[in-house]
Amino acid sequence: MLRLLLILVVTSLTLAVPHERLLAQRSSTSIYKLVDSPVNWYEGKESCEAMGCVLAQPKSEQEYNAIFALLPTSEFYWIGVTDLDHEGRFTYDTDNQDIVYNNWDLEEPDNDNGEEHCVDISFSNTYWYDYNCNLQDDGAVCECPPDGVRGDPHMRTFDSRAYTFQGTGWYILLKDCTNKPRFEVTTKFEPREDSTPDQVRTITTTFNITVGNQYAVVNGLDVTTGSTDGQMTDDKVITIQEEDKNIKLYFTSKDTTFTFNWTLRNHALDVSYNGSFYNGKLCGLMGNADGDTRNDFQKPDGSITKDVNEFGESWKVNDKKRF
Ligand SMILES: *[C@@H]1O[C@H](CO)[C@@H](O)[C@H](O)[C@H]1NC(C)=O
Ligand SMILES: *[C@@H]1O[C@H](CO)[C@@H](O)[C@H](O)[C@H]1NC(C)=O
Ligand SMILES: *[C@@H]1O[C@H](CO)[C@@H](O)[C@H](O)[C@H]1NC(C)=O
């Protein structure tokens, strides 16, 4: 394919794009994140895997549209589709199944020079191209499991750092760390039944979302709402949707809606948000959400530690009044 012309067009566009970008974009089924630095296809795949994700495999127009809500800094990004195994037959990287959706540009895939086996997408025109897997693109689109806490607790920060922490009691999961904090979410971890004194494994049992003076506490499938100062207004800032085995809660602050999806069956609390105001302004066990995975173990005093237990314990809430 002819790249030069497109690149010239995009250079002028990128100047207008603000530096701040969405960290993640969710379709109903997946969360997409960007590797926003030059990589060949194999390096893109490795970078996604380092975040516990895979190269994106959009399987519908809806999923593909979710990718375009990411704001990249350049144009061409790899996805997890190739014909490396069978020339001309494009399959998903993770299961080798034939693709069920595509958005090829006219006359693509063209296997130019017989060397183009990996698919990249253009953020300027949304089309798909085949391209040489060993050449660098501007980045890669990854598809990730939800952020939050699942099971043991297996934690995943907003910047996609996965870790295991087994403290018991109440901890700050995420908090507004601006100088006028407005919200705080705490979770209670309790030992699982199969824990032994030598090996404690914990699960999330209860969590408390507090926004302004209002809170919603979810314990199993019981929801209690109230206010921290006894003053309850008619304006509910936390929206609660109770479904069969799921509870979804959300609230909005500044330009951002925070969404919590609680599934009791696997003690999973998925957390996501969609605005940009709080990028880098959050703190707690889900990290600072500044787009950098390496500095996620930030303690309340702002210092960074490498030790997962030191990090985890630093967010413990010592308040006997809580249940
Ligand atoms: C909530 O999580 C459950 C389990 O992971 C999933 O099946 C469901 O689709 C999610 N709901 C929303 C609204 O994200
Ligand atoms: C975030 O999601 C909410 C609810 O779906 C929506 O009303 C709002 O416009 C979204 N904000 C941004 C910045 O996308
Ligand atoms: C929920 O958390 C808030 C603030 O962190 C606290 O004031 C309130 O007492 C908690 N609610 C319950 C029922 O524990």
Side-chain angles (χ1 to χ4, degrees), residues 5-236:
L5 199 74
L6 290 173
I7 289 165
L8 290 175
V9 173
V10 170
T11 318
S12 54
L13 279 179
T14 41
L15 294 175
V17 173
H19 275 301
E20 212 158 14
R21 62 185 174 83
L22 290 178
L23 291 167
Q25 194 62 42
R26 172 188 277 262
S27 75
S28 60
T29 47
S30 301
I31 292 182
Y32 299 103
K33 298 190 182 190
L34 280 182
V35 173
D36 212 0
S37 55
V39 282
N40 67 32
W41 186 85
Y42 300 97
E43 292 161 345
K45 177 175 156 130
E46 266 175 38
S47 302
C48 290
E49 286 170 358
M51 297 196 285
C53 311
V54 296
L55 279 169
Q57 306 180 143
K59 291 182 177 160
S60 65
E61 191 178 344
Q62 188 210 12
E63 289 183 9
Y64 196 52
N65 287 342
I67 289 176
F68 282 88
L70 295 164
L71 290 179
T73 51
S74 304
E75 181 173 20
F76 287 103
Y77 289 74
W78 297 113
I79 60 172
V81 176
T82 74
D83 71 346
L84 284 165
D85 285 348
H86 320 264
E87 171 51 37
R89 189 181 134 202
F90 284 85
T91 57
Y92 297 112
D93 183 45
T94 53
D95 59 12
N96 218 12
Q97 297 292 307
D98 289 353
I99 54 173
V100 294
Y101 168 83
N102 73 69
N103 197 34
W104 297 115
D105 198 357
L106 279 180
E107 294 173 27
E108 295 286 336
D110 62 358
N111 195 19
D112 200 17
N113 288 326
E115 288 172 349
E116 301 192 326
H117 304 297
C118 293
V119 175
D120 61 6
I121 61 170
S122 158
F123 269 90
S124 65
N125 66 15
T126 79
Y127 289 130
W128 291 27
Y129 300 89
D130 58 349
Y131 195 48
N132 187 328
C133 309
N134 294 303
L135 296 182
Q136 279 192 339
D137 254 348
D138 300 314
V141 185
C142 313
E143 183 173 324
C144 310
D147 299 325
V149 46
R150 292 183 160 251
D152 275 357
H154 289 302
M155 307 285 312
R156 175 182 284 273
T157 66
F158 287 120
D159 296 333
S160 282
R161 181 156 181 171
Y163 68 95
T164 296
F165 170 65
Q166 305 288 7
T168 54
W170 282 93
Y171 291 84
I172 292 175
L173 185 66
L174 70 108
K175 188 177 158 173
D176 172 355
C177 268
T178 60
N179 49 19
K180 279 190 188 158
R182 207 175 149 239
F183 55 84
E184 176 178 299
V185 179
T186 52
T187 45
K188 188 182 189 187
F189 300 136
E190 292 184 83
R192 280 188 350 188
E193 280 168 10
D194 61 357
S195 287
T196 62
D198 291 341
Q199 206 193 9
V200 176
R201 305 182 70 180
T202 63
I203 48 173
T204 306
T205 55
T206 312
F207 60 95
N208 174 346
I209 299 177
T210 302
V211 184
N213 69 346
Q214 301 186 18
Y215 64 74
V217 175
V218 178
N219 181 357
L221 288 176
D222 295 332
V223 184
T224 313
T225 55
S227 82
T228 51
D229 53 12
Q231 310 270 315
M232 202 61 190
T233 55
D234 288 340
D235 258 358
K236 296 260 191 302

Side-chain angles (χ1 to χ4, degrees), residues 286-297:
M286 290 198 61
N288 55 17
D290 69 347
D292 185 348
T293 304
R294 291 163 303 180
N295 64 10
D296 273 3
F297 287 179

